[in-house]
Amino acid sequence: MTGTIEIKVTVSEVVTPSLFAALMEVSNPRQRAALLKRLADDALRGRENVGLAYSAQQGRTVAQQTAVSDSGTLPAHTQMKPASVVDKRPQTLADSKEAPSETSDDAHLNYLADSLSAFA
Amino acid sequence: MKTHASVLAVDVGYGNTKVAVRNGSEVSTFMFPSLTPDYQARTMTKQSNGVLRAIRTVGIEVNGKQYEVGPEVPLTSRNGDPGRTLVGSYCTTDSYEALLGGAFHFANVSSVDRLVLGLPVQTFQQHAEALRSKFSGTLQFGDEEVRVGNLMVLPQPLGALVHFSQHPDFNPSQRNMIIDVGYYTTDWVVAKGLTMEERRSGGHQSGASHFFQKMAELIGAATKESALAIEEIDEAVRERAPYYVFNEEINLDHYAAQAQSVPEAAVNAIGNSVGSTNDIRCIFLTGGGAALYEPAIRAFFPRNRIEVVKNACFSNVRGFFAAGEATQMRERDKKRKEAMTA
């Protein structure tokens, strides 16, 4: 049996500027998705037995690995599941281990910028 | 080799200094105690050829004096340090500056486009402008130099609200209240969306340190020992670790229950300031002392939905960081458009 994973990914210029720039070079959506897969696969093949979560840990500075550190977003991971299974968002704040990553989509970034520009 | 960061967020609290910095696609956070004893070089560690482990602290020079800053600064050094007492002008002290220097050091950052700092609600109007001018441009910590493009200053509890504004339950047209229980102060903000209602927001000089001080007094009276370090009690409560006075194990739960008069006083002040809470959809508890104040807050606001923020001590700094990135992106876009039309 062959597994497939369906993922909807938002690539933000703020969060991953290099990846954003690379993907902007390609205008066709299918080719853009293919490029994303190739970049991710190439990165994984370049490391032996290293998952994404582990590589994220390795990228930290010594201070950021102290006992008092916490990684902010949950470790990057994907989960094998049938395409029919729908993601469930946390029902309460207490259910969510953390809020989503700090600046996750453009609409929210714009809302923050509109609301907080007076403080900048 | 230290690096450049687009945004660095630092929440210099009375108890701990919290830092957020982007690390690839993640935002990393870490913290260290807001303690700045005089720096003493540890020559024995150097001479031991690795037998003694070097502790993670660094000497930060401010106005010609070296302060020791870092995750492993001795907890008992709190006594006698000028930065320990509750002063409204804490952000103008050398201790504050040294802690900020420590934040840059441990984040491994030497220059930043936007630095985001927070101030307590009570002193925000008084000090925000002074902070902006003091910590913009080139900052000198002895021989170490860091460059700050511009500084954004936010009321501390607003950080937690910004952080949770991404949650599906957040509605910009509804009111929420954030209660931020810090080490020396408890701040609260009522906001509709992200717009603060200043009349219903404020601060009270009560926090985790007052709670632990009360516990220390009660334990001291019971054990006839007056010189108990509240930092040790703090650590034992947070880590659910046994606590001893000489060889006697102390039941901390018993004394924590007796110290509830401290949060009750703060909650009364919040209640007087906020008035009726029937228009508040959710009360978020945040800050390092949130768990200590939770029972009193639930008792006072029995009909409100109350959420205790997980990893509460980092929620403000995460919000600072998100605010910094969002406004930075807006300004970058604006400059790009201006360049295209020029």
Side-chain angles (χ1 to χ4, degrees):
Chain A
M1 194 173 109
T2 313
T4 59
I5 316 166
E6 286 191 13
I7 310 171
K8 182 181 177 183
V9 182
T10 301
V11 178
S12 159
E13 185 180 5
V14 174
V15 178
T16 46
S18 307
L19 180 61
F20 181 84
L23 294 175
M24 283 297 284
E25 295 291 315
V26 182
S27 57
N28 182 295
R30 283 184 181 277
Q31 289 176 351
R32 194 178 270 171
L35 174 62
L36 179 62
K37 282 189 273 190
R38 184 167 62 77
L39 289 171
D41 205 44
D42 285 353
L44 282 174
R45 284 171 199 274
R47 303 161 191 269
E48 285 184 11
N49 303 320
V50 177
L52 288 174
Y54 180 55
S55 61
Q57 286 283 345
Q58 279 199 320
R60 292 185 189 175
T61 63
V62 172
Q64 287 156 2
Q65 292 181 49
T66 60
V68 290
S69 75
D70 97 307
S71 72
T73 51
L74 294 169
H77 70 279
T78 56
Q79 195 173 10
M80 298 283 280
K81 62 180 179 185
S84 59
V85 175
V86 178
D87 274 335
K88 284 184 182 172
R89 303 185 93 172
Q91 296 304 301
T92 68
L93 290 172
D95 287 344
S96 79
K97 300 286 183 200
E98 293 276 331
S101 68
E102 273 61 17
T103 43
S104 52
D105 64 63
D106 286 349
H108 187 253
L109 280 169
N110 283 327
Y111 172 64
L112 292 184
D114 289 341
S115 307
L116 302 168
S117 55
F119 292 104
Chain B
M1 171 94 179
K2 294 197 175 176
T3 59
H4 173 80
S6 177
V7 175
L8 178 71
V10 187
D11 181 12
V12 184
Y14 289 113
N16 290 293
T17 297
K18 286 77 66 178
V19 185
V21 65
R22 183 162 289 290
N23 185 21
S25 60
E26 285 193 4
V27 176
S28 294
T29 52
F30 63 93
M31 70 176 184
F32 52 86
S34 291
L35 296 166
T36 52
D38 293 349
Y39 181 71
Q40 291 172 333
R42 289 174 170 76
T43 51
M44 269 179 67
T45 307
K46 279 185 183 169
Q47 290 166 2
S48 72
N49 289 326
V51 175
L52 296 176
R53 184 177 68 85
I55 67 168
R56 287 196 309 274
T57 60
V58 63
I60 301 286
E61 188 177 324
V62 177
N63 291 330
K65 187 177 169 187
Q66 287 257 334
Y67 296 92
E68 185 167 17
V69 177
E72 293 184 336
V73 70
L75 289 179
T76 49
S77 65
R78 214 180 280 275
N79 302 329
D81 186 286
R84 301 303 151 235
T85 52
L86 177 60
V87 287
S89 56
Y90 178 49
C91 63
T92 65
T93 61
D94 287 354
S95 282
Y96 186 98
E97 200 168 336
L99 294 167
L100 188 59
F104 272 95
H105 175 85
F106 288 105
N108 206 30
V109 167
S110 59
S111 67
V112 62
D113 292 330
R114 170 155 293 167
L115 173 65
V116 189
L117 298 175
L119 278 176
V121 174
Q122 278 183 312
T123 60
F124 184 81
Q125 296 296 347
Q126 191 185 352
H127 292 299
E129 204 47 54
L131 212 60
R132 261 187 217 110
S133 57
K134 186 175 182 183
F135 295 122
S136 298
T138 301
L139 315 182
Q140 205 72 40
F141 299 99
D143 294 336
E144 293 280 326
E145 193 177 278
V146 300
R147 285 191 303 282
V148 177
N150 61 64
L151 180 65
M152 182 179 193
V153 187
L154 289 172
Q156 276 165 342
L158 204 55
L161 194 58
V162 169
H163 178 50
F164 282 95
S165 66
Q166 297 162 96
H167 197 277
D169 281 357
F170 180 85
N171 184 332
S173 64
Q174 293 177 338
R175 282 183 183 80
N176 294 292
M177 175 161 62
I178 299 280
I179 302 177
D180 178 6
V181 186
Y183 200 72
Y184 280 100
T185 59
T186 295
D187 283 6
W188 61 95
V189 163
V190 174
K192 188 173 182 180
L194 290 177
T195 306
M196 256 178 82
E197 295 186 349
E198 288 190 39
R199 194 176 49 82
R200 301 173 78 189
S201 304
H204 188 260
Q205 291 190 358
S206 158
S209 70
H210 300 83
F211 186 87
F212 294 127
Q213 185 61 49
K214 182 74 179 175
M215 284 183 72
E217 286 168 14
L218 293 166
I219 296 168
T223 59
K224 297 182 172 52
E225 175 59 35
S226 59
L228 300 176
I230 63 169
E231 293 78 15
E232 304 288 345
I233 298 173
D234 175 354
E235 194 171 86
V237 169
R238 274 190 290 113
E239 296 177 4
R240 307 290 301 168
Y243 175 76
Y244 292 91
V245 175
F246 295 107
N247 195 36
E248 180 186 352
E249 184 170 355
I250 305 297
N251 179 354
L252 290 177
D253 287 342
H254 169 73
Y255 292 101
Q258 286 193 18
Q260 280 297 317
S261 58
V262 174
E264 280 165 9
V267 175
N268 278 329
I270 297 170
N272 289 336
S273 160
V274 174
S276 169
T277 55
N278 60 17
D279 60 341
I280 289 174
R281 188 174 174 207
C282 185
I283 298 174
F284 297 104
L285 297 191
T286 185
L292 306 173
Y293 279 47
E294 183 187 352
I297 290 167
R298 285 196 186 278
F300 198 92
F301 302 108
R303 298 186 66 184
N304 283 97
R305 173 182 169 186
I306 294 173
E307 297 279 358
V308 182
V309 175
K310 193 172 168 66
N311 280 328
C313 57
F314 286 111
S315 57
N316 282 343
V317 81
R318 286 185 184 292
F320 293 173
F321 187 85
E325 279 201 336
T327 50
Q328 185 74 359
M329 187 194 73
R330 171 64 58 83
E331 283 172 27
R332 204 183 300 152
D333 286 350
K334 197 174 155 190
K335 280 180 188 162
R336 201 180 290 157
K337 281 176 190 161
E338 283 171 358
M340 284 170 73
T341 53

